């Protein structure tokens, strides 16, 4: 019988890093994937905005609703319990006011998450600090920030110029001072990620940002190759579930169309003598 794994916490993540072991994390938004992450022993599951985008077809993270994010969180919590589970705070849920940010983060924690995931800005660091002061761990997301797409205008890699990299580090340091527990860098230059890995006082995770990090992170829908949007450049898929599903749906459609499905032997039948009784009952 497989031994039950202990709950992953901020403390145990730090102990794993101290032993020189990689933290393995995954963006996750459904119960089956959460169950598999649990079975594999994933350290961290993040219920991110790619879920509503990949499955609900949102054209950008700007239209993701907070309630949708909570639905996905509940789905993940039904499938996994031992990984450290954090949930994204989409759109304006973490930047209107300190009170509003703490209220929304508390709702995420009340649902069962261990922490929250935020894409900070220089002007929202005070909200991050308020959430941390309320006792809620924060994972800070830097580099490409999908929720600021309409402001930035692209998903191009970040930190490829000295100035851009320095601006990102300045924001990260402000957020570390505010109390974030982890830095997640998405599609940042390898040089910037390596510098952060070697110089920052908190763990650094890489999402398409090179191998030099305490943790490696990937998006579940991109891992399996099943999203309404193409896999981002240089974010390698490890499967093609979209094609597997299309093959299965096509086989079903053609079998139903031709009459090959369902077959007679796959039908259910009344018990002996019951059909005659049925005819009497219906006249």
């Amino acid at each position: 019988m497989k031994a039950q794994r202990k709950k992953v916490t901020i403390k145990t993540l730090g102990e794993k890093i101290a032993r020189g072991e990689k933290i393995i994390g995954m963006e996750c938004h459904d119960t089956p994937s959460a169950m598999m992450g649990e079975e594999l022993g994933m350290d961290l599951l993040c219920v991110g905005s790619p879920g509503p985008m990949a499955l609900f077809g949102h054209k950008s993270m700007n239209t993701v609703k907070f309630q949708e994010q909570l639905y996905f969180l509940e789905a993940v919590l039904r499938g996994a319990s031992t990984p450290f589970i954090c949930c994204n705070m989409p759109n304006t849920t973490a930047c209107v006011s300190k009170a509003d940010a703490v209220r929304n983060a508390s709702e995420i924690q009340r649902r069962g998450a261990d922490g929250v995931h935020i894409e900070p800005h220089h002007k929202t660091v005070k909200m991050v600090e308020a959430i941390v002061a309320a006792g809620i761990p924060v994972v800070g997301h830097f580099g490409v920030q999908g929720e600021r797409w309409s402001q930035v205008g692209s998903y191009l890699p970040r930190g490829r110029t000295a100035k851009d990299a320095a601006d990102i580090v300045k924001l990260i340091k402000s957020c570390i001072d505010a109390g974030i527990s982890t830095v997640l860098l998405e599609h940042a230059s390898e040089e910037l990620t390596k510098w952060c890995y070697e110089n920052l006082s908190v763990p650094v995770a890489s999402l398409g940002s090179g191998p030099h990090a305490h943790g490696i992170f990937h998006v579940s829908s991109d891992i399996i190759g099943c999203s309404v949007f193409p896999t981002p450049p240089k974010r390698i898929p490890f499967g093609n579930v979209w094609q597997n599903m299309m093959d299965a749906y096509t086989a079903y459609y053609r079998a139903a169309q031709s009459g090959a499905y369902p077959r007679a032997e796959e039908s259910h039948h009344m018990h002996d003598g019951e059909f005659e009784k049925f005819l009497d009952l219906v006249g």
Side-chain angles (χ1 to χ4, degrees):
M1 182 177 177
K2 188 176 179 179
Q4 177 65 35
R5 183 172 69 146
K6 291 182 179 179
K7 174 68 179 176
V8 177
T9 65
I10 295 291
K11 181 175 181 293
T12 57
L13 288 173
E15 291 170 349
K16 188 169 185 178
I17 290 171
R19 294 194 298 269
E21 301 174 17
K22 284 282 189 185
I23 302 299
I24 309 300
M26 179 173 74
E27 191 281 333
C28 186
H29 46 253
D30 61 272
T31 304
S33 295
M35 293 173 68
M36 295 175 199
E38 176 80 42
E39 178 68 21
L40 286 167
M42 292 276 185
D43 299 299
L44 184 146
L45 297 178
C46 180
V47 186
S49 293
M53 291 182 69
L55 296 181
F56 286 176
H58 285 280
K59 297 296 189 249
S60 77
M61 295 181 185
N62 296 334
T63 58
V64 174
K65 301 178 180 69
F66 187 41
Q67 194 61 48
E68 290 174 325
Q69 203 71 69
L70 296 177
Y71 291 151
F72 283 110
L73 171 61
E74 290 174 348
V76 169
L77 289 169
R78 294 185 191 108
S81 59
T82 61
F84 185 91
I85 297 174
C86 63
C87 181
N88 185 53
M89 296 184 67
N91 302 321
T92 57
T93 55
C95 63
V96 174
S97 68
K98 292 181 183 180
D100 190 55
V102 172
R103 186 182 305 110
N104 291 327
S106 298
E107 178 62 19
I108 287 173
Q109 192 175 57
R110 188 186 69 78
R111 300 286 178 116
D114 300 303
V116 296
H117 166 273
I118 298 174
E119 296 186 359
H121 182 270
H122 288 291
K123 294 185 181 298
T124 64
V125 173
K126 58 188 176 183
M127 284 73 164
V128 172
E129 186 174 32
I131 292 171
V132 173
I136 302 171
V138 174
V139 174
H141 185 122
F142 307 91
V144 172
Q145 295 179 314
E147 290 173 9
R148 295 192 174 273
W149 178 87
S150 58
Q151 186 179 50
V152 177
S154 77
Y155 292 111
L156 292 175
R158 297 290 308 277
R160 302 182 79 177
T161 68
K163 183 181 184 310
D164 190 40
D167 286 345
I168 292 171
V169 169
K170 182 179 178 181
L171 174 59
I172 290 173
K173 287 183 174 180
S174 295
C175 290
I176 291 173
D177 290 342
I180 64 169
S181 58
T182 304
V183 167
L184 173 61
L185 282 163
E186 177 178 358
H187 290 280
S189 66
E190 181 178 327
E191 293 85 353
L192 171 60
T193 305
K194 186 173 186 288
W195 186 93
C196 291
Y197 168 61
E198 293 174 345
N199 291 278
L200 296 181
S201 58
V202 300
V204 173
S206 167
L207 170 56
S209 300
H212 305 290
H214 301 97
I216 302 301
F217 194 76
H218 207 331
V219 176
S220 59
S221 52
D222 293 332
I223 292 171
I224 65 175
C226 189
S227 171
V228 298
F229 299 104
T231 303
K234 298 189 178 182
R235 191 183 294 175
I236 303 302
F238 290 82
N240 194 350
V241 171
W242 183 282
Q243 189 60 53
N244 293 340
M245 291 172 65
M246 192 62 192
D247 290 344
Y249 291 151
T250 300
Y252 155 71
Y253 178 81
R254 290 175 178 171
Q257 190 178 48
S258 68
Y261 176 84
R263 297 176 298 179
E265 58 266 33
E266 291 156 354
S267 300
H268 300 283
H269 297 281
M270 284 184 170
H271 299 303
D272 290 344
E274 292 300 315
F275 185 63
E276 289 77 11
K277 294 178 184 177
F278 163 75
L279 292 177
D280 288 340
L281 289 171
V282 298

